[in-house]
Amino acid sequence: MPSDVVRVIYRKYDGSAHRDYPARRLAEDDLGVWLGVPAGTESVYHGRPSVEQIPFVLLVPHHGWWTGMFNPPPRTSEVYCDIATPARWEGDDTVHLIDLDLDVVRRRATGLVELRDEDEFAEHRERFGYPDDVVAEAEAAARWLFGALGDGTEPFATSYRKWLALVV
């Protein structure tokens, strides 16, 4: 039986801390593992203690080079996807991801889809020596997400709402 609580650990490519927080396992389906993070959850962001002010749901895909964060109002990003290495699970209760800087975001008010942090990706590609295959996978994931967030591809259209309702 999978654990109800999952520790989500994001690091940067050089191993430095990025994000670390507990989440509640909501479900697992053909898309991946759905995790809920209620408001008030204690977390660590860039090595500093933090508290989540707005709840969210995280989708950790089974094989994708991304994670999807689904947000309620008043957060201005309805969907925020981090480009990351595929999830590495440690048992059922810890998931490790390497954040690769690029983000694909859909704005709530306008539906505008944005590719963000290309400058950080380029800088870290040089500094950390991202291998060519990692660069190719990250860029391909960003391109796919950019289209998927804009064209109604699930789970980015409406299917995530049933999971988000469990943490709001």
Side-chain angles (χ1 to χ4, degrees):
M1 186 75 178
S3 173
D4 185 48
V5 176
V6 173
R7 182 175 174 200
V8 179
I9 302 171
Y10 285 89
R11 296 201 174 277
K12 288 296 190 175
Y13 197 81
D14 68 345
S16 61
H18 184 51
R19 288 191 308 243
D20 188 333
Y21 54 87
R24 184 167 51 97
R25 181 185 299 270
L26 302 174
E28 183 169 352
D29 60 19
D30 59 324
L31 297 169
V33 179
W34 293 89
L35 304 171
V37 180
T41 298
E42 293 184 7
S43 62
V44 176
Y45 187 65
H46 293 292
R48 295 188 173 142
S50 181
V51 175
E52 298 299 331
Q53 300 299 310
I54 300 172
F56 64 91
V57 168
L58 183 74
L59 172 59
V60 179
H62 292 298
H63 305 290
W65 282 73
W66 55 274
T67 57
M69 187 169 79
F70 301 89
N71 305 302
R75 193 161 275 156
T76 60
S77 61
E78 179 183 11
V79 182
Y80 194 107
C81 295
D82 285 296
I83 303 302
T85 58
R88 181 178 61 81
W89 286 88
E90 186 179 325
D92 288 326
D93 61 358
T94 305
V95 62
H96 297 271
L97 301 134
I98 305 297
D99 180 88
L100 295 171
D101 317 308
L102 293 172
D103 304 304
V104 182
V105 180
R106 184 172 67 217
R107 295 292 166 201
R108 180 177 315 285
T110 63
L112 177 70
V113 177
E114 303 170 333
L115 175 61
R116 302 188 57 196
D117 297 332
E118 292 173 282
D119 53 343
E120 183 181 359
F121 179 72
E123 177 188 329
H124 286 174
R125 179 181 182 180
E126 290 297 316
R127 183 188 316 164
F128 301 147
Y130 293 171
D132 290 342
D133 62 326
V134 168
V135 170
E137 292 286 0
E139 291 174 340
R143 280 191 305 275
W144 180 79
L145 285 165
F146 194 88
L149 266 67
D151 70 8
T153 297
E154 291 293 0
F156 307 109
T158 60
S159 67
Y160 70 88
R161 292 181 183 156
K162 67 183 172 188
W163 307 118
L164 189 55
L166 297 176
V167 297
V168 174

